[in-house]
mmCIF file of all heavy atoms in Angstrom:
data_model
loop_
_atom_site.group_PDB
_atom_site.id
_atom_site.type_symbol
_atom_site.label_atom_id
_atom_site.label_comp_id
_atom_site.label_asym_id
_atom_site.label_seq_id
_atom_site.Cartn_x
_atom_site.Cartn_y
_atom_site.Cartn_z
ATOM 1 N N PHE A 1 -4.321 7.485 4.542
ATOM 2 C CA PHE A 1 -5.568 6.865 5.002
ATOM 3 C C PHE A 1 -5.440 6.437 6.463
ATOM 4 O O PHE A 1 -6.436 6.374 7.184
ATOM 5 C CB PHE A 1 -5.913 5.642 4.146
ATOM 6 C CG PHE A 1 -6.626 5.984 2.864
ATOM 7 C CD1 PHE A 1 -6.395 5.248 1.721
ATOM 8 C CD2 PHE A 1 -7.541 7.027 2.810
ATOM 9 C CE1 PHE A 1 -7.054 5.550 0.537
ATOM 10 C CE2 PHE A 1 -8.201 7.341 1.628
ATOM 11 C CZ PHE A 1 -7.954 6.595 0.493
ATOM 12 N N GLY A 2 -4.199 6.121 6.891
ATOM 13 C CA GLY A 2 -3.991 5.696 8.274
ATOM 14 C C GLY A 2 -4.234 6.803 9.282
ATOM 15 O O GLY A 2 -4.441 6.532 10.472
ATOM 16 N N GLU A 3 -4.178 8.051 8.848
ATOM 17 C CA GLU A 3 -4.407 9.186 9.741
ATOM 18 C C GLU A 3 -5.751 9.858 9.472
ATOM 19 O O GLU A 3 -6.039 10.914 10.030
ATOM 20 C CB GLU A 3 -3.284 10.222 9.577
ATOM 21 C CG GLU A 3 -1.972 9.810 10.215
ATOM 22 C CD GLU A 3 -1.343 8.605 9.536
ATOM 23 O OE1 GLU A 3 -1.064 8.666 8.327
ATOM 24 O OE2 GLU A 3 -1.149 7.582 10.237
ATOM 25 N N THR A 4 -6.563 9.255 8.623
ATOM 26 C CA THR A 4 -7.890 9.775 8.326
ATOM 27 C C THR A 4 -8.886 9.042 9.205
ATOM 28 O O THR A 4 -9.027 7.820 9.107
ATOM 29 C CB THR A 4 -8.252 9.566 6.836
ATOM 30 O OG1 THR A 4 -7.220 10.131 6.022
ATOM 31 C CG2 THR A 4 -9.581 10.219 6.514
ATOM 32 N N PHE A 5 -9.556 9.762 10.110
ATOM 33 C CA PHE A 5 -10.362 9.119 11.142
ATOM 34 C C PHE A 5 -11.499 8.278 10.579
ATOM 35 O O PHE A 5 -11.972 7.364 11.232
ATOM 36 C CB PHE A 5 -10.910 10.179 12.105
ATOM 37 C CG PHE A 5 -9.855 10.790 12.978
ATOM 38 C CD1 PHE A 5 -9.323 12.030 12.675
ATOM 39 C CD2 PHE A 5 -9.381 10.098 14.075
ATOM 40 C CE1 PHE A 5 -8.343 12.592 13.482
ATOM 41 C CE2 PHE A 5 -8.398 10.653 14.893
ATOM 42 C CZ PHE A 5 -7.881 11.891 14.601
ATOM 43 N N LEU A 6 -11.943 8.591 9.376
ATOM 44 C CA LEU A 6 -12.998 7.789 8.772
ATOM 45 C C LEU A 6 -12.498 6.393 8.405
ATOM 46 O O LEU A 6 -13.263 5.427 8.410
ATOM 47 C CB LEU A 6 -13.538 8.507 7.521
ATOM 48 C CG LEU A 6 -14.695 7.840 6.783
ATOM 49 C CD1 LEU A 6 -15.919 7.756 7.696
ATOM 50 C CD2 LEU A 6 -15.029 8.608 5.514
ATOM 51 N N PHE A 7 -11.195 6.269 8.099
ATOM 52 C CA PHE A 7 -10.641 5.001 7.628
ATOM 53 C C PHE A 7 -9.675 4.377 8.645
ATOM 54 O O PHE A 7 -9.748 3.200 8.939
ATOM 55 C CB PHE A 7 -9.913 5.205 6.301
ATOM 56 C CG PHE A 7 -10.763 5.824 5.236
ATOM 57 C CD1 PHE A 7 -10.436 7.060 4.688
ATOM 58 C CD2 PHE A 7 -11.910 5.184 4.789
ATOM 59 C CE1 PHE A 7 -11.223 7.635 3.706
ATOM 60 C CE2 PHE A 7 -12.699 5.749 3.805
ATOM 61 C CZ PHE A 7 -12.353 6.979 3.265
ATOM 62 N N MET A 8 -8.713 5.164 9.110
ATOM 63 C CA MET A 8 -7.753 4.741 10.132
ATOM 64 C C MET A 8 -7.037 3.435 9.766
ATOM 65 O O MET A 8 -6.895 2.534 10.584
ATOM 66 C CB MET A 8 -8.435 4.594 11.496
ATOM 67 C CG MET A 8 -8.823 5.911 12.125
ATOM 68 S SD MET A 8 -7.451 7.086 12.305
ATOM 69 C CE MET A 8 -6.385 6.213 13.411
ATOM 70 N N PHE A 9 -6.578 3.359 8.523
ATOM 71 C CA PHE A 9 -5.798 2.187 8.122
ATOM 72 C C PHE A 9 -4.968 2.524 6.896
ATOM 73 O O PHE A 9 -5.525 2.825 5.832
ATOM 74 C CB PHE A 9 -6.707 0.997 7.807
ATOM 75 C CG PHE A 9 -5.938 -0.279 7.563
ATOM 76 C CD1 PHE A 9 -5.457 -1.012 8.628
ATOM 77 C CD2 PHE A 9 -5.677 -0.716 6.277
ATOM 78 C CE1 PHE A 9 -4.732 -2.185 8.413
ATOM 79 C CE2 PHE A 9 -4.959 -1.872 6.054
ATOM 80 C CZ PHE A 9 -4.484 -2.609 7.123
ATOM 81 N N PRO A 10 -3.627 2.503 7.025
ATOM 82 C CA PRO A 10 -2.779 2.752 5.846
ATOM 83 C C PRO A 10 -2.737 1.518 4.958
ATOM 84 O O PRO A 10 -2.402 0.416 5.418
ATOM 85 C CB PRO A 10 -1.409 3.048 6.471
ATOM 86 C CG PRO A 10 -1.427 2.360 7.791
ATOM 87 C CD PRO A 10 -2.845 2.331 8.254
ATOM 88 N N THR A 11 -3.082 1.685 3.712
ATOM 89 C CA THR A 11 -3.186 0.534 2.800
ATOM 90 C C THR A 11 -1.895 -0.268 2.738
ATOM 91 O O THR A 11 -1.919 -1.507 2.712
ATOM 92 C CB THR A 11 -3.553 1.023 1.391
ATOM 93 O OG1 THR A 11 -4.680 1.885 1.470
ATOM 94 C CG2 THR A 11 -3.883 -0.155 0.486
ATOM 95 N N PHE A 12 -0.750 0.419 2.741
ATOM 96 C CA PHE A 12 0.519 -0.274 2.560
ATOM 97 C C PHE A 12 1.046 -0.907 3.841
ATOM 98 O O PHE A 12 2.162 -1.418 3.860
ATOM 99 C CB PHE A 12 1.561 0.671 1.958
ATOM 100 C CG PHE A 12 1.311 0.965 0.511
ATOM 101 C CD1 PHE A 12 0.795 2.186 0.110
ATOM 102 C CD2 PHE A 12 1.563 0.005 -0.456
ATOM 103 C CE1 PHE A 12 0.548 2.455 -1.223
ATOM 104 C CE2 PHE A 12 1.317 0.251 -1.794
ATOM 105 C CZ PHE A 12 0.807 1.484 -2.179
ATOM 106 N N SER A 13 0.233 -0.906 4.907
ATOM 107 C CA SER A 13 0.597 -1.705 6.073
ATOM 108 C C SER A 13 0.225 -3.170 5.872
ATOM 109 O O SER A 13 0.540 -4.014 6.709
ATOM 110 C CB SER A 13 -0.090 -1.163 7.333
ATOM 111 O OG SER A 13 -1.498 -1.237 7.224
ATOM 112 N N ARG A 14 -0.428 -3.474 4.767
ATOM 113 C CA ARG A 14 -0.606 -4.860 4.307
ATOM 114 C C ARG A 14 0.480 -5.129 3.276
ATOM 115 O O ARG A 14 0.558 -4.451 2.245
ATOM 116 C CB ARG A 14 -1.986 -5.061 3.675
ATOM 117 C CG ARG A 14 -3.134 -5.090 4.660
ATOM 118 C CD ARG A 14 -3.148 -6.345 5.514
ATOM 119 N NE ARG A 14 -3.347 -7.530 4.706
ATOM 120 C CZ ARG A 14 -4.539 -8.034 4.400
ATOM 121 N NH1 ARG A 14 -5.639 -7.437 4.838
ATOM 122 N NH2 ARG A 14 -4.641 -9.122 3.671
ATOM 123 N N VAL A 15 1.326 -6.115 3.545
ATOM 124 C CA VAL A 15 2.534 -6.309 2.740
ATOM 125 C C VAL A 15 2.218 -6.648 1.287
ATOM 126 O O VAL A 15 3.012 -6.348 0.394
ATOM 127 C CB VAL A 15 3.423 -7.394 3.385
ATOM 128 C CG1 VAL A 15 2.791 -8.777 3.250
ATOM 129 C CG2 VAL A 15 4.831 -7.360 2.814
ATOM 130 N N SER A 16 1.078 -7.253 1.028
ATOM 131 C CA SER A 16 0.739 -7.624 -0.348
ATOM 132 C C SER A 16 0.637 -6.397 -1.247
ATOM 133 O O SER A 16 1.030 -6.440 -2.425
ATOM 134 C CB SER A 16 -0.574 -8.416 -0.382
ATOM 135 O OG SER A 16 -1.616 -7.677 0.235
ATOM 136 N N TYR A 17 0.155 -5.281 -0.726
ATOM 137 C CA TYR A 17 0.042 -4.071 -1.521
ATOM 138 C C TYR A 17 1.417 -3.435 -1.758
ATOM 139 O O TYR A 17 1.676 -2.875 -2.825
ATOM 140 C CB TYR A 17 -0.906 -3.084 -0.846
ATOM 141 C CG TYR A 17 -2.329 -3.577 -0.823
ATOM 142 C CD1 TYR A 17 -2.813 -4.320 0.253
ATOM 143 C CD2 TYR A 17 -3.185 -3.350 -1.891
ATOM 144 C CE1 TYR A 17 -4.115 -4.805 0.267
ATOM 145 C CE2 TYR A 17 -4.480 -3.825 -1.891
ATOM 146 C CZ TYR A 17 -4.940 -4.561 -0.809
ATOM 147 O OH TYR A 17 -6.223 -5.049 -0.811
ATOM 148 N N SER A 18 2.282 -3.547 -0.775
ATOM 149 C CA SER A 18 3.654 -3.070 -0.962
ATOM 150 C C SER A 18 4.372 -3.916 -2.007
ATOM 151 O O SER A 18 5.125 -3.391 -2.834
ATOM 152 C CB SER A 18 4.408 -3.112 0.370
ATOM 153 O OG SER A 18 3.811 -2.249 1.319
ATOM 154 N N TYR A 19 4.159 -5.231 -1.964
ATOM 155 C CA TYR A 19 4.748 -6.110 -2.984
ATOM 156 C C TYR A 19 4.247 -5.726 -4.376
ATOM 157 O O TYR A 19 5.023 -5.704 -5.341
ATOM 158 C CB TYR A 19 4.387 -7.567 -2.696
ATOM 159 C CG TYR A 19 5.174 -8.219 -1.590
ATOM 160 C CD1 TYR A 19 4.631 -9.264 -0.843
ATOM 161 C CD2 TYR A 19 6.464 -7.803 -1.281
ATOM 162 C CE1 TYR A 19 5.352 -9.863 0.180
ATOM 163 C CE2 TYR A 19 7.188 -8.392 -0.265
ATOM 164 C CZ TYR A 19 6.629 -9.431 0.463
ATOM 165 O OH TYR A 19 7.348 -10.028 1.472
ATOM 166 N N ALA A 20 2.951 -5.446 -4.480
ATOM 167 C CA ALA A 20 2.383 -5.105 -5.784
ATOM 168 C C ALA A 20 3.004 -3.821 -6.336
ATOM 169 O O ALA A 20 3.358 -3.752 -7.519
ATOM 170 C CB ALA A 20 0.863 -4.955 -5.665
ATOM 171 N N ALA A 21 3.153 -2.803 -5.483
ATOM 172 C CA ALA A 21 3.762 -1.543 -5.936
ATOM 173 C C ALA A 21 5.213 -1.752 -6.343
ATOM 174 O O ALA A 21 5.684 -1.194 -7.341
ATOM 175 C CB ALA A 21 3.668 -0.494 -4.828
ATOM 176 N N ALA A 22 5.942 -2.580 -5.578
ATOM 177 C CA ALA A 22 7.346 -2.840 -5.892
ATOM 178 C C ALA A 22 7.481 -3.653 -7.183
ATOM 179 O O ALA A 22 8.375 -3.393 -8.000
ATOM 180 C CB ALA A 22 8.019 -3.577 -4.737
ATOM 181 N N LEU A 23 6.604 -4.636 -7.384
ATOM 182 C CA LEU A 23 6.669 -5.450 -8.606
ATOM 183 C C LEU A 23 6.301 -4.626 -9.835
ATOM 184 O O LEU A 23 6.878 -4.819 -10.916
ATOM 185 C CB LEU A 23 5.739 -6.660 -8.476
ATOM 186 C CG LEU A 23 6.220 -7.762 -7.529
ATOM 187 C CD1 LEU A 23 5.148 -8.851 -7.387
ATOM 188 C CD2 LEU A 23 7.526 -8.389 -8.035
ATOM 189 N N LEU A 24 5.368 -3.707 -9.686
ATOM 190 C CA LEU A 24 5.022 -2.836 -10.804
ATOM 191 C C LEU A 24 6.204 -1.943 -11.163
ATOM 192 O O LEU A 24 6.529 -1.765 -12.348
ATOM 193 C CB LEU A 24 3.805 -1.985 -10.452
ATOM 194 C CG LEU A 24 3.289 -1.047 -11.547
ATOM 195 C CD1 LEU A 24 2.883 -1.834 -12.783
ATOM 196 C CD2 LEU A 24 2.099 -0.230 -11.026
ATOM 197 N N THR A 25 6.868 -1.417 -10.147
ATOM 198 C CA THR A 25 8.068 -0.607 -10.390
ATOM 199 C C THR A 25 9.167 -1.449 -11.017
ATOM 200 O O THR A 25 9.877 -0.999 -11.929
ATOM 201 C CB THR A 25 8.559 0.006 -9.062
ATOM 202 O OG1 THR A 25 7.521 0.828 -8.519
ATOM 203 C CG2 THR A 25 9.815 0.835 -9.275
ATOM 204 N N PHE A 26 9.318 -2.678 -10.555
ATOM 205 C CA PHE A 26 10.297 -3.606 -11.119
ATOM 206 C C PHE A 26 10.021 -3.819 -12.601
ATOM 207 O O PHE A 26 10.941 -3.791 -13.436
ATOM 208 C CB PHE A 26 10.227 -4.932 -10.362
ATOM 209 C CG PHE A 26 11.080 -6.023 -10.930
ATOM 210 C CD1 PHE A 26 12.437 -6.087 -10.652
ATOM 211 C CD2 PHE A 26 10.528 -7.009 -11.732
ATOM 212 C CE1 PHE A 26 13.229 -7.108 -11.171
ATOM 213 C CE2 PHE A 26 11.305 -8.026 -12.251
ATOM 214 C CZ PHE A 26 12.663 -8.077 -11.972
ATOM 215 N N ALA A 27 8.736 -4.014 -12.950
ATOM 216 C CA ALA A 27 8.371 -4.219 -14.355
ATOM 217 C C ALA A 27 8.684 -2.981 -15.192
ATOM 218 O O ALA A 27 9.146 -3.097 -16.334
ATOM 219 C CB ALA A 27 6.887 -4.561 -14.457
ATOM 220 N N VAL A 28 8.483 -1.794 -14.603
ATOM 221 C CA VAL A 28 8.749 -0.557 -15.344
ATOM 222 C C VAL A 28 10.229 -0.395 -15.614
ATOM 223 O O VAL A 28 10.642 -0.114 -16.752
ATOM 224 C CB VAL A 28 8.208 0.670 -14.569
ATOM 225 C CG1 VAL A 28 8.690 1.977 -15.203
ATOM 226 C CG2 VAL A 28 6.687 0.644 -14.543
ATOM 227 N N TYR A 29 11.077 -0.576 -14.581
ATOM 228 C CA TYR A 29 12.498 -0.312 -14.838
ATOM 229 C C TYR A 29 13.173 -1.439 -15.620
ATOM 230 O O TYR A 29 14.079 -1.189 -16.415
ATOM 231 C CB TYR A 29 13.253 0.051 -13.555
ATOM 232 C CG TYR A 29 13.597 -1.023 -12.568
ATOM 233 C CD1 TYR A 29 14.616 -1.944 -12.811
ATOM 234 C CD2 TYR A 29 12.965 -1.074 -11.339
ATOM 235 C CE1 TYR A 29 14.960 -2.899 -11.876
ATOM 236 C CE2 TYR A 29 13.316 -2.018 -10.395
ATOM 237 C CZ TYR A 29 14.303 -2.927 -10.661
ATOM 238 O OH TYR A 29 14.641 -3.874 -9.723
#
């Protein structure tokens, strides 16, 4: 999304979303 001119923002450049993905992975393993 960060390289898509319509949006120009990578979602995971907000740390809260990276935390959410990592915590979900933590819960899985």
Side-chain angles (χ1 to χ4, degrees):
F1 277 145
E3 285 66 59
T4 306
F5 290 100
L6 182 63
F7 304 118
M8 289 305 297
F9 187 79
T11 309
F12 287 105
S13 62
R14 287 289 297 271
V15 70
S16 56
Y17 293 91
S18 298
Y19 283 152
L23 287 175
L24 182 60
T25 300
F26 174 81
V28 170
Y29 75 74

